[in-house]
Structure formats: C-alpha cells, structure tokens
Amino acid sequence: MSTTTRPTGRTTGVDLSVDLGGLVLPNPIMTASGCFASGREIDALWNVSELGAVVAKSVTLEPREGLPTPRMSETPSGMLNAIGLQNPGVDAWLERDVPWLASRGARVVASIAGNSVDDYREVARRVAASRSVAAVEVNLSCPNVSHRGLVFACDPGRSAEVVRAVRQALPDRPLFAKLTPDVTDIARIGRSVVEAGATGISAINTTLGMAIDAETGRPKVANGFAGLSGPAIRPMAVRAVHQLFTELGPEVPIIGMGGVRTVTDVVEMVRAGASAVAIGTATFADPFTAANLVRDLGPWLGRRGHTALADLRGRIEPWPHHPR
Amino acid sequence: MSVQGRDVGPVSMTCEVLDRRRLGRYWGLTLSAPEIARRAAPGQFVNIAVSAPGTLLRRPFSIAGAALGGHVAGTIDVVLDPHGPGTDMLAGVPPGASLEVLGPLGRAFPLPQRRVSALLVGGGYGAAPMYYLGERLRAEGHRVNFLVGAADSSRIIDPIVPKRMATWSSFTTEDGSMGHRGRVTDLLAEDLETTAAEVVYACGPNAMLAAVGDICEAAGVPCQVAVEEHMACGVGVCMTCILPIHTRKGVQNRRVCVDGPVFTSTRIAWEESRYTETAHEPVDDDLDDRDASDHDGRGPDDSRADEGHFTAGVRTVRTGGRR
Ligand SMILES: Cc1cc2nc3c(=O)[nH]c(=O)nc-3n(C[C@H](O)[C@H](O)[C@H](O)COP(=O)(O)OP(=O)(O)OC[C@H]3O[C@@H](n4cnc5c(N)ncnc54)[C@H](O)[C@@H]3O)c2cc1C
Ligand SMILES: Cc1cc2nc3c(=O)[nH]c(=O)nc-3n(C[C@H](O)[C@H](O)[C@H](O)COP(=O)(O)O)c2cc1C
Ligand code: FES
C-alpha cells in the first residue's frame, strides 16, 4: 500500500548498535516487559524485527489469570496498573511465542518472574532450553511469599539470591536484573545483583502508587496499590539510571526505561548512563512509538554531528563554573 | 496525510474533523478517515488521541458509521458523551482541526448468513454503533428492529434515524421524557416476541448488557453484545481491558480490545466481573413467570445450543479483514 510508512532502521551513517554484555543489537530500542505482549499484536502494525530486541511480558512457572478489573487508571502524565502478571506460563510461552518471534527475525529477551527463589530457578531452567532466547531479564518486582510478601527487588540480599539461582540455571546468556525505584539506595541493589552474576541492569520498573475516587471512595485500580509508569516517572528513571551508572561503571550494561516517548527522551536516558532504552507506556499512547524512534534516532544524532550513539553514554556536561 | 500501518488491520492516521454537531447531550463527529472507513465493520472501535492537559492515553469510541461512497466518502462517525477531560476536549474540536486516530480495532459483530429478523438494542451512546450495524444489516436484506433506551430523551441519539431505518422501533427513557418510562430491559422480552427476533445485538452500559443477555438466554434468542472496559492500549498488549469469559478450559480472562469488544453474551461470566453488583438488578417478575410457563418443551440446555446454531450461521468479521 502506498500510504504505508515503514520504519527503516536506516541510520544515515550513525552507528546505533549496542553491545549489552554479549547481546549485540543493531539499535538500542527495546520494549519494556508487559507493554508489548510478545510482539504479535504490534507486528500486525509494523515489523517488530526492526527493534533492537523484544522483551516479552514476564512469564511465571504456571499460567496466571491476573487481578480483577479495573486494572488501570490514568494519572497526570502517567498511568497506574495492577495486572497481576496475567500470562500463559513459561511452557506455553516457549512453545507458542518464542518460535513465532524467532521466525519473524526478532531478537528475543525473556522476562521471568516468580514468588520464590525456586520459582525463578525453574523458569530459568526451562527458558535455558530454548536457543531462540537471546537474553533474560529477571523481574524482581514480585512479592516473595517466604518473606511476608516483600518485593525481592527491595532487598539486596534476596535480589542477589534470585540472581544467583537464575545465573546457575542459565550460565550462558546475558542476564539483566530488573530493579524497582522504590528503594532507598538503588545503586546498592545494583551492586549486589552484579556481584551475584547479573550481566547488567534494567531500570526502572514501575513505582508504587495509588488513586482513590473521591466520590465513591473506591480505589481507582481494583487492587488498591498499583504501579505508576509513563512520562510522570521519567525524571525518577533518569536519576536511577544515572546512580546505577555511577556506581557500576561503563562495564555494566544498563537498559534504561521509564516514561521514554521521544528521541530526546532516548538520548537523555543514554546520557544518564543507559546502554539501551526500553519503551513501555508510550506504546499504549501510540503503538508506532518504538518504530518511529528506530527510524528517527539516527537522523537526529547525525544532524548534530554524532557518529555513534555509544559515545553519548553517561556523557553529562557540567555547567560552566561561575566565578564569584 | 500520514497513514501508518499494514495493508490489512488497523492503521494510525491524522484525520481532519469535517463536521461536529450536537446530538442532544452528545456530540457527533465526522472524520475524514478513508483508510479506516474502508476497513471498518460495525462493532469495531477507534482509539483517538486527546490533548487535554496531563492526559496520555487515547480514548476508545465505537465507530458509529462509515461512508464509502457519496458526498462524505471515506469518512467515519463517532458519537461522544462529554463527561471527562478526554471526551470534553474531543467534543470541543472545531471542524478543520486534526485528530490522531487508530483503527479499526477489535472484532466486529458477526452477521447472519441467512435472512433474519434482528433486534438491535442500544443504551445511551451505545445506540451509535447500533445505527451503523442497522444500516449494514438492512443493506444485506435483514429485517431490522430497534429498541433504544437512555436516561432521558436528550440521550436518545437522532431518534429519526432508527425510525426511518427500521421495520419496527421503540424507545425507553428512565424519566419518561420519550417513549416508555423505564429501561430497555422492561420491554425486551415482549419486544423479542413482537419482532419475532431471531438474533439480538446490543451495546450500552455493561450492566444493561448483562441483563439483556439474561433475558435473551431465557428466551432462547442468541445475543451478541459489544462491551466496554478501561483500556490503556486498545491493541492487545497491556492486559488492562480483560473480561472473564467461559471457555472450554473454564473461565478465562480475555482482552476486550482484541478478543472483543463483541462477545456472544452467554460466554461472558458477568458473575465473575465487577459488573455483578448492578448486573443482577431486579428482573421483571412477569418475565420470570413467563420463563417458567413458556418453555415450549425446550430443555434448559437448549439456549446454549442456540448459541452454537447462531455461531454456525454467521460469518465472523475479524479486525480489518478486507471483505
Ligand atoms: C470499545 C469502547 C467503545 C466506546 N464507545 C464510546 C462511544 O461511542 N461514545 C462515548 O462517548 N464513549 C465511548 N466509550 C467510552 C469512552 O472511551 C470513555 O467515556 C472515555 O474514554 C472517557 O474519557 P474521559 O477522559 O472523557 O473521561 P475519564 O473518565 O476522566 O477517563 C479517565 C480514564 O478512564 C478511561 N475510561 C473512562 N470511562 C471509560 C469507559 N466507559 N470505557 C472505557 N474507558 C473508560 C478513559 O479512557 C481514561 O483512560 C467506549 C469505550 C470502549 C471501551
Ligand atoms: C501495563 C503494564 C504492565 C507491565 N508488566 C510488566 C511485567 O510483566 N514485567 C516487568 O518486568 N515490568 C512490567 N511493567 C513495567 C514496565 O516494563 C516498565 O518498567 C515501566 O512501565 C516503566 O516504563 P514506562 O514508563 O516506559 O512504561 C509493566 C508496565 C505496565 C504499564
Ligand atoms: S487495552 Fe491493552 S490489552 Fe486491551
């Protein structure tokens, strides 16, 4: 059809490729877990192999039906969600979605979740069997049943324990630990998961929020507490990514995410210290967002004389010193 | 004009607002959207970007009409109930302005394969997609009957449209300002008989749809409903818009935006949704009596069997499939 505009990924000579600890991608644009399903729906709109990689919805050992509705509520420049990890289970995902993604030529990153260290280990073991999974992201924002339901990612020790177990089950693939910003010192959590064997970090997951209808008194999301995402959290994400980059140094790859919508948001995240950038909520507002970023990032950089995106990683320029 | 998408399925496009008109409490917009109009079928919806301060997500609206020929070829209609930042903003966009529109989204109403008498039930702005469906059914030679209800007459969209289009039409308002005083569900059982309806299509508040489905099931008439749920993406990737659905594997959560918004009413497990509270409104006692005494020798399972019969007799129109 003549009216179709397809993302080309052409970079006008600018090198957009990234190396995430062995996971080499043609460009830094990825999807944020839970915001792209496993790519099929969006592939009906544009070719998902244009992406750097597809990070799929988190999968658990058993299928989950998730939480009751309403599951989302819009907030100023953001949204709250409590889905409850509705997913078909790791086996069904490996059987149905991974081969499809591979057949489309997409680079596949699994996102795994669980409620105990054993859960994570077992899901990782099953994922390890699939050669089509290029890397794994460990969603640590799950309640730990043997620790009063406290989220793994809030505790450096428990986070490290999960990462060690996953690393053992999956020794041969890049492993990213996905962190929550709802901690006092995210850099410390980052340090402990890297020491436990994580190749790199994904940050940030949603931050916990709540909204209540003033008239009815009911929480706007049925679960009560819900994860806040979108442009509203972008400054938090930039801050967290920069803290992690400063703590862990340029050797540790970081997948930055949180409210990214435009090319300048991507560049901001890279300057903060991200090696690659994942697009979440922005896809809901416009399902072509990630495709447009793949298309537009190279030309934007090229127009400013940059030759490689990687050169900008962690590059924050100081304000000129004002003599008194 | 920029259009993004593939040869089939939904597209994203910038659409000029060609016309905006008051429809009682509601507003009707006509948008220039040739690619969407060509692909659309009744029951599908569009996701429209809004630019109210602080808003982020698009807003879903049923397609209320699509014109392929004539003066307004390549246009779609939507009907808006302004009641929040997004709908208020959209109700205020002047002709000449542009909107970002994604669609057509979701599954359309399955259409009967053989000639039938169809009863179309619309509640509030839910009547809008029913008018679009009515046109399509009539063009295919079916008998079209309308039962349109709302809180008051200012929420009955263009009553002349169903009157003109339908073989038979009837109206209800809760305040009695137009037609029967009460709700569509007060009249439905009787109207099913009057119109010899062989199939019911309905759109309106979910509580109404649950009640309509119950009445149709009791009467053994297959019923297709277009439901609403809060949607973040509208394209199947966020899992916010689910509804519990009876499947072979028991009740499972299905996405309204891609697996619906049209469902066979008996498949919806309303009792497991948050709409139960209002769904089990007092049902007309006369109706219960009639059910008990008027079984026509049908066993209790026959109404489910009808669903199979109906499904066998329709062709399902999938998102954006060119027909
Ligand atoms: C498939 C479908 C078809 C629809 N068709 C129409 C139509 O033809 N005409 C019409 O006026 N309205 C229709 N709606 C409802 C319409 O989408 C909402 O009224 C609108 O999103 C409200 O936005 P707001 O900013 O004005 O209000 P707010 O209430 O402030 O919206 C806040 C958030 O809640 C969501 N929301 C609020 N009410 C609803 C609702 N009833 N359904 C889904 N999401 C909701 C909004 O999308 C937004 O994200 C339809 C909804 C769906 C799901
Ligand atoms: C509806 C929704 C579902 C999500 N599901 C998951 C998930 O399954 N696993 C996960 O690690 N993160 C999940 N997230 C978090 C996102 O991957 C991302 O970290 C977060 O939303 C911040 O990015 P954003 O502002 O670009 O959306 C989800 C977010 C949203 C909005
Ligand atoms: S609205 Fe996102 S899956 Fe339906």
Side-chain angles (χ1 to χ4, degrees):
Chain A
M1 192 181 70
S2 59
T3 46
T4 306
T5 53
R6 290 227 171 78
T8 61
R10 250 182 268 120
T11 60
T12 58
V14 178
D15 181 8
L16 294 183
S17 68
V18 294
D19 181 349
L20 305 175
L23 176 66
V24 178
L25 309 177
N27 70 68
I29 305 300
M30 307 173 72
T31 58
S33 177
C35 301
F36 209 75
S38 282
R40 252 181 241 266
E41 296 79 4
I42 303 291
D43 197 69
L45 302 171
W46 51 273
N47 190 346
V48 298
S49 68
E50 304 277 353
L51 286 161
V54 173
V55 183
K57 171 80 185 164
S58 295
V59 288
T60 51
L61 201 48
E62 304 292 337
R64 288 198 191 171
E65 284 301 311
L67 293 162
T69 60
R71 287 178 168 189
M72 78 98 181
S73 174
E74 200 183 38
T75 61
S77 300
M79 65 173 274
L80 289 165
N81 89 83
I83 309 293
L85 286 185
Q86 181 175 342
N87 82 92
V90 61
D91 293 336
W93 181 72
L94 287 169
E95 194 182 318
R96 281 190 244 138
D97 294 304
V98 174
W100 177 84
L101 276 164
S103 77
R104 296 295 298 156
R107 289 150 292 275
V108 187
V109 178
S111 169
I112 65 174
N115 295 111
S116 67
V117 174
D118 288 342
D119 277 2
Y120 282 99
R121 181 186 296 113
E122 183 54 23
V123 178
R125 205 181 58 78
R126 297 191 192 187
V127 166
S130 168
R131 295 314 312 175
S132 301
V133 175
V136 170
E137 187 176 87
V138 185
N139 175 2
L140 292 167
S141 292
C142 300
N144 179 354
V145 287
S146 65
H147 195 206
R148 291 174 289 110
L150 192 75
V151 170
F152 286 97
C154 291
D155 181 314
R158 318 263 164 178
S159 295
E161 227 182 303
V162 172
V163 168
R164 250 191 308 274
V166 173
R167 183 37 99 203
Q168 242 168 26
L170 223 152
D172 62 341
R173 248 132 328 155
L175 184 168
F176 295 86
K178 184 160 175 184
L179 305 186
T180 171
D182 296 343
V183 291
T184 314
D185 185 359
I186 196 168
R188 178 156 165 247
I189 314 264
R191 169 62 63 198
S192 79
V193 291
V194 167
E195 280 168 1
T199 313
I201 305 290
S202 294
I204 57 175
N205 212 315
T206 54
T207 176
L208 207 58
M210 186 175 191
I212 304 162
D213 188 304
E215 302 274 353
T216 65
R218 288 180 174 151
K220 291 193 178 174
V221 175
N223 188 55
F225 298 138
L228 183 64
S229 65
I233 68 165
R234 202 176 80 237
M236 277 178 84
V238 171
R239 176 270 295 170
V241 165
H242 191 58
Q243 286 175 324
L244 287 160
F245 177 76
T246 309
E247 168 74 21
L248 303 172
E251 297 309 314
V252 177
I254 297 173
I255 303 169
M257 72 196 82
V260 174
R261 205 165 34 160
T262 65
V263 168
T264 51
D265 298 346
V266 171
V267 175
E268 180 188 32
M269 202 57 97
V270 170
R271 283 190 180 277
S275 324
V277 177
I279 312 304
T281 302
T283 293
F284 305 161
D286 179 1
F288 291 89
T289 303
N292 293 341
L293 292 174
V294 171
R295 184 193 60 202
D296 297 340
L297 181 60
W300 190 96
L301 293 167
R303 281 195 298 277
R304 283 155 185 82
H306 301 295
T307 53
L309 175 74
D311 294 344
L312 292 180
R313 183 175 181 216
R315 279 275 300 275
I316 298 181
E317 305 299 337
W319 285 97
H321 178 69
H322 294 284
R324 262 178 239 167
Chain B
M1 182 185 311
S2 93
V3 179
Q4 279 189 301
R6 295 192 187 264
D7 290 349
V8 293
V11 294
S12 174
M13 60 191 295
T14 310
C15 298
E16 188 185 339
V17 178
L18 297 182
D19 184 45
R20 178 180 63 134
R21 63 208 165 279
R22 194 171 250 298
L23 299 167
R25 277 266 313 170
Y26 304 143
W27 289 88
L29 293 187
T30 298
L31 309 172
S32 172
E35 210 45 58
I36 297 176
R38 184 160 36 238
R39 300 174 187 212
Q44 293 188 294
F45 64 100
V46 289
N47 236 0
I48 307 183
V50 298
S51 55
T55 58
L56 171 71
L57 303 169
R58 292 178 186 236
R59 301 295 192 261
F61 298 96
S62 302
I63 299 172
L68 299 178
H71 280 311
V72 285
T75 62
I76 58 167
D77 285 344
V78 291
V79 173
L80 313 165
D81 173 17
H83 72 276
T87 43
D88 285 348
M89 175 256 155
L90 290 171
V93 288
S98 289
L99 294 172
E100 291 298 321
V101 184
L102 176 71
L105 300 169
R107 283 175 197 254
F109 284 109
L111 302 178
Q113 295 269 313
R114 58 184 172 81
R115 292 279 156 84
V116 297
S117 174
L119 178 57
L120 280 56
V121 184
Y125 59 76
M130 290 295 122
Y131 294 179
Y132 179 25
L133 176 66
E135 260 172 43
R136 178 63 63 86
L137 289 173
R138 211 182 58 158
E140 298 207 350
H142 302 291
R143 203 162 95 195
V144 173
N145 308 283
F146 269 105
L147 172 56
V148 181
D152 56 57
S153 61
S154 73
R155 291 175 172 87
I156 302 277
I157 306 164
D158 261 348
I160 197 69
V161 171
K163 282 182 188 161
R164 218 179 251 151
M165 188 192 325
T167 308
W168 179 95
S169 59
S170 150
F171 299 86
T172 69
T173 49
E174 282 172 43
D175 68 352
S177 51
M178 186 175 171
H180 167 85
R181 183 195 194 100
R183 298 178 165 194
V184 289
T185 41
D186 301 345
L187 301 184
L188 180 57
E190 195 183 314
D191 292 352
L192 285 173
E193 294 201 342
T194 312
T195 61
E198 295 158 274
V199 51
V200 168
Y201 294 99
C203 184
N206 285 354
M208 176 197 112
L209 298 179
V212 166
D214 282 350
I215 294 167
C216 291
E217 186 176 8
V221 179
C223 173
Q224 298 282 329
V225 297
V227 304
E228 274 187 4
E229 186 48 78
H230 288 226
M231 294 180 174
C233 75
V235 294
V237 297
C238 73
M239 309 303 273
T240 61
C241 64
I242 58 96
L243 195 65
I245 299 292
H246 292 288
T247 73
R248 262 179 252 109
K249 294 183 199 154
V251 174
Q252 295 191 331
N253 288 331
R254 289 289 152 83
R255 295 161 299 180
V256 169
C257 65
V258 287
D259 302 319
V262 174
F263 292 98
T264 301
S265 72
T266 47
R267 289 194 59 206
I268 302 173
W270 290 115
E271 67 283 2
E272 297 199 14
S273 77
R274 71 178 194 274
Y275 304 102
T276 38
E277 181 173 72
T278 33
H280 293 286
E281 279 167 334
V283 177
D284 196 322
D285 285 334
D286 292 352
L287 186 74
D288 287 343
D289 292 347
R290 197 184 68 99
D291 284 349
S293 59
D294 191 19
H295 258 310
D296 293 342
R298 289 171 194 233
D301 289 330
D302 282 19
S303 51
R304 293 246 173 218
D306 277 336
E307 183 193 338
H309 163 76
F310 177 75
T311 315
V314 297
R315 60 172 195 272
T316 302
V317 183
R318 283 170 184 267
T319 313
R322 273 189 204 268
R323 283 153 308 111

